[in-house]
Amino acid sequence: DAPMRQYTSMRVGGPADSLFFPMDVKELKKVVQFARRREIPLLILGKGTNLIVKDKGIRGWVISLARGLKRMKTEGETVEAEAGLPLQRLVQFSIQKGWTGLEPFFGIPGTVGGGLAMNAGAWGAELKDILLSITLMKENGEVVERRRSNLKFSYRSLDLPPNWIILKGRFQLAQGKKEEVLDRVKSYSEMRKRTQPLDALSAGSVFKNPKEGPAGKWIEGVGLKGFRMGQAMVSDRHANFIINLGKAKAEEVIQLMELVERKVFQEKGVSLEREVRVVGE
């Protein structure tokens, strides 16, 4: 009966049957193999950003990698980071070293594993651009490494076989000038603060940007910026964010997403595809 609202950035959702925090790959493998033998459904969790859990919760087991799998090691300007490591810890480490490559990701919440799973990006950069390889656990617990050239990335997505788990990523950075790296980070950070509701409870960008242009502009164009449904609201700072005003239910958030999709399609003929995942029942 783990309350999922405590483990997601939107702070909504009912309980999961069980929640595990494996401390290393060995423990993770034990849990995965046991669950597969008993046919227990599994959901892998990072920091719970980009995720909306429905009000009745999740049947099956949730495995969070955010407490145990968060080690990092370097070799020259190559960094290996485990899936549970907060993406910001990796970004800050590279800034301290004066390494360049991760500046656009400053301020993106979530973990390294979550960032890789959705090919996180900002300001024209994507995580795949600096990736060398990913280490994965197959459904049966076997661990394999896949080079970047053998992985299928697309906009906000990584195509992996069902039930494979990202364990760690290897990234190639480059030596830069510390002052220049800091200047770029400051510039991205100021843009983010100016344009996004960083102080509100949200799951990040709700929709992928369609080929017709930024999702936020289409949502604003149909008059939904600032629109409320119960305790869920389309942000009045950036229309591609839905925020929890404090006591929102997942149902209110989902109904608001559906309204946005319907209205943008009916009035503008633009289909919005979700960036956030909705799970549970």
Side-chain angles (χ1 to χ4, degrees), residues 135-153:
T135 301
L136 300 145
M137 182 178 285
K138 290 184 176 182
E139 199 171 356
N140 61 3
E142 183 193 348
V143 174
V144 294
E145 187 176 7
R146 290 283 183 271
R147 294 191 63 75
R148 161 74 189 87
S149 54
N150 296 326
L151 294 162
K152 284 186 194 166
F153 282 99

Side-chain angles (χ1 to χ4, degrees), residues 159-198:
D159 184 19
L160 287 176
N163 304 316
W164 284 32
I165 300 168
I166 296 170
L167 301 178
K168 60 187 175 185
R170 282 177 66 242
F171 303 93
Q172 183 62 61
L173 303 175
Q175 188 62 53
K177 291 186 177 167
K178 200 166 184 180
E179 311 76 53
E180 290 175 7
V181 170
L182 281 167
D183 282 347
R184 282 194 292 274
V185 164
K186 194 177 170 193
S187 148
Y188 289 131
S189 174
E190 283 169 359
M191 280 193 278
R192 211 175 271 284
K193 279 180 193 162
R194 200 167 57 245
T195 59
Q196 297 178 6
L198 302 181

Side-chain angles (χ1 to χ4, degrees), residues 204-218:
S205 296
V206 177
F207 300 103
K208 299 177 183 180
N209 288 327
K211 62 181 187 301
E212 294 90 348
K217 286 192 175 171
W218 291 110

Side-chain angles (χ1 to χ4, degrees), residues 4-5 7-14 43 45 48-58 201-207 232 241-244 248-258 274-281:
M4 292 309 295
R5 63 170 54 243
Y7 299 98
T8 58
S9 61
M10 184 62 108
R11 295 284 184 268
V12 296
L43 175 78
L45 183 73
T49 57
N50 221 47
L51 188 73
I52 293 163
V53 178
K54 290 184 178 179
D55 293 315
K56 288 183 183 171
I58 296 170
L201 300 175
S202 84
S205 296
V206 177
F207 300 103
F241 284 71
I242 289 177
I243 61 175
N244 176 357
K249 291 197 164 13
E251 187 57 32
E252 292 170 336
V253 175
I254 294 163
Q255 283 178 357
L256 190 49
M257 284 164 60
E258 288 168 348
R274 293 177 186 179
E275 189 170 310
V276 298
R277 283 178 71 203
V278 177
V279 297
E281 59 184 44

Side-chain angles (χ1 to χ4, degrees), residues 8 44 46 79 102 138 154 170 181 190 203 219 222 229 234 236 260 264 277:
T8 58
I44 304 300
V79 188
L102 279 164
K138 290 184 176 182
S154 56
R170 282 177 66 242
V181 170
E190 283 169 359
I219 299 164
V222 297
M229 198 168 264
V234 176
D236 52 9
V260 167
V264 170
R277 283 178 71 203

